């Protein structure tokens, strides 16, 4: 029989599973290592895909320990978002195959330094590249700790930090040093987000909540808005990376820098793994959002002006565009 933990912790409305487990452990004065070991032993399951699609047995066990209904715990995972692909928690199904399905991060995450500094729960949506800013603090998110220079929550425990819930980074460090990075993420520089970005991020938030969003003056389901945003953004990023044109905006030059840094990949797969930098994504999303905001004709004109920057090829720019975006059907009406 599984005995509930003495201190009950209510999940945050937008909280991620790793954040919740850390808070449960902290409230019950348990260290993360032993607590997760206990959780795995009781459930007979692993922590696999903890933040996206955890094993049902793990959720059931955590539900008893925390006296929280399983559906409330599933709300802490990325599968709550309609735009997320279906991820099966089976053994033959690798993390790489799961990640290849879409724009999300299984382990690492972005964060708002102000939210973290206040001791707020870490939000689930911070793992989605569409999200670049915090509307509460009007600042951009950060993706790396400036202390260890590693992406946030780069841990071997599916994002859980061995040092537990605190404002400190907690990334594992090289052997022989302090075991976890002790940089205070609440002190990271807060880069203000512009009014246009905050407005665009408001639309992303509404879309993630499943509300309708206006595209070309017509209401469309939120998930459809997100699909179109991703398709256009991925296309623009590919154009920026390949175009020899001069005079492109700063974000486009930054794409080239990031493309070079990702030389291990056979041509960066921006549709799978979005650019790291939130400032860069914010700029691209503004263009994509504008393309979706006006009339279809104006949007088509704007997107085709970008496609004109692609070096000519035998296949033609329309075919090239379809090969260099995600869900091309979602934006085929804008191309050509
Ligand atoms: Zn914030
Ligand atoms: Zn760090």
């Amino acid at each position: 029989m599984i005995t509930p933990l003495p201190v009950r912790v209510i999940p945050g409305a937008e909280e991620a599973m790793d954040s919740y487990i850390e808070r449960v452990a902290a409230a019950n004065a348990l260290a993360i290592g032993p607590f997760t070991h206990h959780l795995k032993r009781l459930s007979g399951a692993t922590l696999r895909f903890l933040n996206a699609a955890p094993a049902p047995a793990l959720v059931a066990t955590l539900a008893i320990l925390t006296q929280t209904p399983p559906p409330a715990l599933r709300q802490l995972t990325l599968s709550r978002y309609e735009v997320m692909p279906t991820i099966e928690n089976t053994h033959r199904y690798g993390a790489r195959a799961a990640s290849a399905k879409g724009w999300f991060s299984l382990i690492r995450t972005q964060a708002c330094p102000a939210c973290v500094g206040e001791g707020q729960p870490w939000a689930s949506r911070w793992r989605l590249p569409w999200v670049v800013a915090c509307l509460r603090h009007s600042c951009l998110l950060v993706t790396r700790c400036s202390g260890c220079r590693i992406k946030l929550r780069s841990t071997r425990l599916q994002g859980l930090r061995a040092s537990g819930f605190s404002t400190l980074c907690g990334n594992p460090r090289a052997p022989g040093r302090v075991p976890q990075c002790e940089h205070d993420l609440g002190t990271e520089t807060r880069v203000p987000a512009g009014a246009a970005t905050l407005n665009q991020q408001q639309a992303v938030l509404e879309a993630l909540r499943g509300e309708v969003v206006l595209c070309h003056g017509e209401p469309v389901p939120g998930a459809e808005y997100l699909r179109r945003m991703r398709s256009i953004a991925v296309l623009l990023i590919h154009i920026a990376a390949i175009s020899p044109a001069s005079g492109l905006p700063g974000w486009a030059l930054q794409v080239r820098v990031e493309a070079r840094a990702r030389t291990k990949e056979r041509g960066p797969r921006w549709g799978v793994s979005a650019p790291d930098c939130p400032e860069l994504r914010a700029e691209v999303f503004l263009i994509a959002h504008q393309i979706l905001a006006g009339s279809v004709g104006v949007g088509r004109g704007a997107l085709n002006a970008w496609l004109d920057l692609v070096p000519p090829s035998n296949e033609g720019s329309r075919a090239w565009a379809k090969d260099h975006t995600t869900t091309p059907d979602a934006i085929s009406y804008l191309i050509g």
Side-chain angles (χ1 to χ4, degrees):
M1 206 181 100
I2 301 171
T3 315
L5 293 166
V7 181
R8 202 172 157 201
V9 178
I10 307 295
E14 313 271 347
E15 189 166 16
M17 185 66 99
D18 50 1
S19 167
Y20 179 64
I21 290 177
E22 284 179 359
R23 291 200 304 122
V24 167
N28 288 281
L30 296 163
I32 287 294
F35 179 52
T36 50
H37 187 74
H38 183 58
L39 191 56
K40 288 193 283 187
R41 194 178 50 78
L42 287 177
S43 64
T46 67
L47 298 176
R48 179 186 175 79
F49 302 162
L50 181 71
N51 297 295
L58 191 90
V59 173
T61 304
L62 192 61
I64 300 170
L65 286 172
T66 61
Q67 301 176 71
T68 306
L73 291 178
R74 278 193 286 274
Q75 284 291 305
L76 304 174
T77 69
L78 290 174
S79 37
R80 68 181 287 179
Y81 300 115
E82 199 192 329
V83 74
M84 274 290 292
T86 307
I87 295 177
E88 310 278 348
N89 193 303
T90 60
H91 282 295
R92 276 176 298 174
Y93 194 65
R96 186 181 283 261
S99 298
K101 289 185 163 201
W103 256 20
F104 60 90
S105 174
L106 284 170
I107 298 175
R108 295 157 172 169
T109 182
Q110 312 175 89
C112 165
C115 283
V116 172
E118 288 172 4
Q120 303 279 351
W122 289 50
S124 196
R125 63 173 178 277
W126 291 344
R127 285 194 161 86
L128 301 173
W130 289 272
V131 179
V132 298
C134 172
L135 291 175
R136 276 188 59 224
H137 295 104
S138 304
C139 65
L140 295 176
L141 305 183
V142 295
T143 51
R144 282 174 197 270
C145 163
S146 63
C148 61
R149 304 198 180 277
I150 300 173
K151 289 187 183 177
L152 304 181
R153 292 186 179 270
S154 292
T155 74
R156 293 178 201 92
L157 282 173
Q158 298 283 318
L160 290 167
R161 299 169 296 178
S163 51
F165 192 85
S166 81
T167 63
L168 307 184
C169 161
N171 271 337
R173 305 201 70 151
R177 305 172 70 180
V178 184
Q180 285 96 33
C181 173
E182 292 183 318
H183 179 72
D184 189 338
L185 297 175
T187 65
E188 293 288 355
T189 309
R190 293 170 201 183
V191 180
T197 290
L198 293 174
N199 183 43
Q200 189 274 329
Q201 288 291 292
Q202 183 66 44
V204 168
L205 231 63
E206 288 163 8
L208 287 173
R209 281 195 220 115
E211 296 167 19
V212 295
V213 175
L214 290 183
C215 283
H216 316 298
E218 301 281 335
V220 300
E224 178 59 21
Y225 167 76
L226 296 172
R227 266 190 288 275
R228 292 186 196 181
M229 284 295 294
R230 178 181 171 209
S231 290
I232 298 171
V234 167
L235 188 54
L236 294 174
I237 293 164
H238 271 294
I239 293 171
I242 195 179
S243 175
S246 57
L248 293 182
W251 68 263
L253 306 177
Q254 213 177 335
V255 166
R256 294 179 190 171
V257 172
E258 191 164 334
R260 277 199 293 276
R262 286 164 66 163
T263 46
K264 277 184 211 144
E265 298 174 46
R266 250 184 312 127
R269 297 169 70 199
W270 306 110
V272 172
S273 169
D276 188 22
C277 173
E279 286 95 329
L280 192 168
R281 273 179 282 125
E283 294 291 327
V284 180
F285 290 153
L286 279 187
I287 300 172
H289 186 71
Q290 253 167 21
I291 287 173
L292 294 175
S295 70
V296 172
V298 171
R300 189 182 287 146
L303 191 55
N304 282 302
W306 278 95
L307 275 172
D308 287 344
L309 301 175
V310 178
S313 67
N314 291 339
E315 59 178 341
S317 62
R318 190 181 169 82
W320 185 91
K322 288 199 164 188
D323 281 349
H324 289 83
T325 187
T326 56
T327 56
D329 291 349
I331 57 161
S332 59
Y333 71 95
L334 286 170
I335 301 171

